[in-house]
Amino acid sequence: MTNKRVLGIAGMLAAVLALGAVGFAIGRQAGGDDGSPPAAAAGTPAAPAAAATPAPGTATATPQAPAGVDPYTGLPLDPDTSKPLWAAPYQDADRELPRFDGVLAGVRIGPDADHGVDQLPRCTKTRWGTLKDAVGTPLDLPLSLPVQGFKGGHLGWVIVCEDDGRPLEVTVDYAFDPDPAGVFRGGGLTVTRSRLEPRNGPPAASLWVPAPRMREVEVAGGPAAVAVPILPDHGIGEAALVTYRDGILTVIRGRVLAPDQLLAVADHILRGGR
């Protein structure tokens, strides 16, 4: 199978996951006793456990809004969930916000950004692999996580270069149970790690997230771009984390119920935990 065909199939799978993954909520949602970062206030412009840096191309100052109101949509942050279709105004308002399209934390992020074949290592032939092909490499992803509410992991795909046996890209889906105490409602996330050698500009990640909700934070000792949802405690709003270090692009995306869950998963993976 040629590089372009394998990568094309992977891209198609990624698109399907990205659509279905809006159900696979980033579930690192309740700070635990494992040293995970504390949760940030839902819908606030500050990203959790870090000093927020306004994303390029967005307003340099947060719009003025009364306490308890989202400054970008004017909607209350304490919705009446007893009403039918209560979430629709939040989803519609977030959808109307401009999409982030620029460079943050050293990564080109946008709806049309894609690392594509030109940023992958040169390889004459690729094949589908298994997680065993990634063990001991920088792309190694576990199927289990030491995170509260973790339910299980499921392999998405592995692409291996037959020239030298190195994995080029690994994707794993993770699911989380609801918290018995009602702190968060469960969900899931998808993690993709890609070996990149950018030759024309910075590494690129395709994300469709509202520009005002993008932040630059520090995770596992390095910079990362984070999308903070409008109502994470209710699973409303897109969430994502993107970082590029040591030649590896890591992208985590889904729906999140509390922002600290996302950071805890990212911290564990980036530190090579298993």
Side-chain angles (χ1 to χ4, degrees):
M1 186 178 295
T2 66
N3 286 353
K4 291 185 178 179
R5 177 167 176 74
V6 169
L7 293 170
I9 295 173
M12 178 180 65
L13 290 173
V16 172
L17 283 173
L19 292 174
V22 278
F24 76 173
I26 286 177
R28 184 329 145 47
Q29 283 71 10
D33 296 328
D34 58 355
S36 58
T44 62
T53 300
T58 66
T60 56
T62 303
Q64 294 299 312
V69 174
D70 177 64
Y72 306 108
T73 63
L75 295 172
L77 295 175
D78 56 346
D80 183 355
T81 59
S82 65
K83 293 182 178 180
L85 303 177
W86 67 268
Y90 293 87
Q91 295 167 329
D92 292 343
D94 243 23
R95 195 176 296 117
E96 292 300 316
L97 292 173
R99 301 295 101 182
F100 181 83
D101 193 355
V103 177
L104 192 62
V107 180
R108 169 80 168 84
I109 299 171
D112 300 319
D114 186 3
H115 57 259
V117 177
D118 63 327
Q119 291 196 351
L120 290 170
R122 302 187 190 283
C123 180
T124 59
K125 187 177 181 181
T126 58
R127 63 174 174 83
W128 295 113
T130 68
L131 282 181
K132 290 182 179 179
D133 292 299
V135 171
T137 75
L139 299 191
D140 198 356
L141 280 175
L143 286 179
S144 62
L145 296 171
V147 177
Q148 181 178 350
F150 174 72
K151 182 178 181 180
H154 174 72
L155 174 64
W157 67 77
V158 179
I159 300 175
V160 179
C161 178
E162 287 197 351
D163 294 354
D164 52 18
R166 291 187 304 167
L168 301 181
E169 187 165 276
V170 178
T171 293
V172 171
D173 295 336
Y174 298 96
F176 297 83
D177 279 327
D179 181 0
V183 177
F184 66 96
R185 301 183 181 182
L189 60 84
T190 288
V191 180
T192 298
R193 306 201 79 189
S194 307
R195 189 189 304 273
L196 300 184
E197 295 177 357
R199 292 177 281 276
N200 297 300
S206 178
L207 288 177
W208 197 81
V209 293
R213 307 209 186 279
M214 289 296 294
R215 303 288 181 271
E216 181 170 343
V217 303
E218 182 176 301
V219 180
V226 173
V228 181
I230 180 174
L231 291 177
D233 290 335
H234 298 281
I236 304 301
E238 303 303 319
L241 183 146
V242 180
T243 185
Y244 179 72
R245 53 191 76 176
D246 301 323
I248 303 299
L249 177 71
T250 301
V251 179
I252 305 176
R253 56 187 137 192
R255 286 192 181 276
V256 67
L257 305 184
D260 73 318
Q261 188 80 5
L262 173 62
L263 295 187
V265 171
D267 185 85
H268 178 73
I269 289 173
L270 292 171
R271 294 186 187 279
R274 291 195 61 79

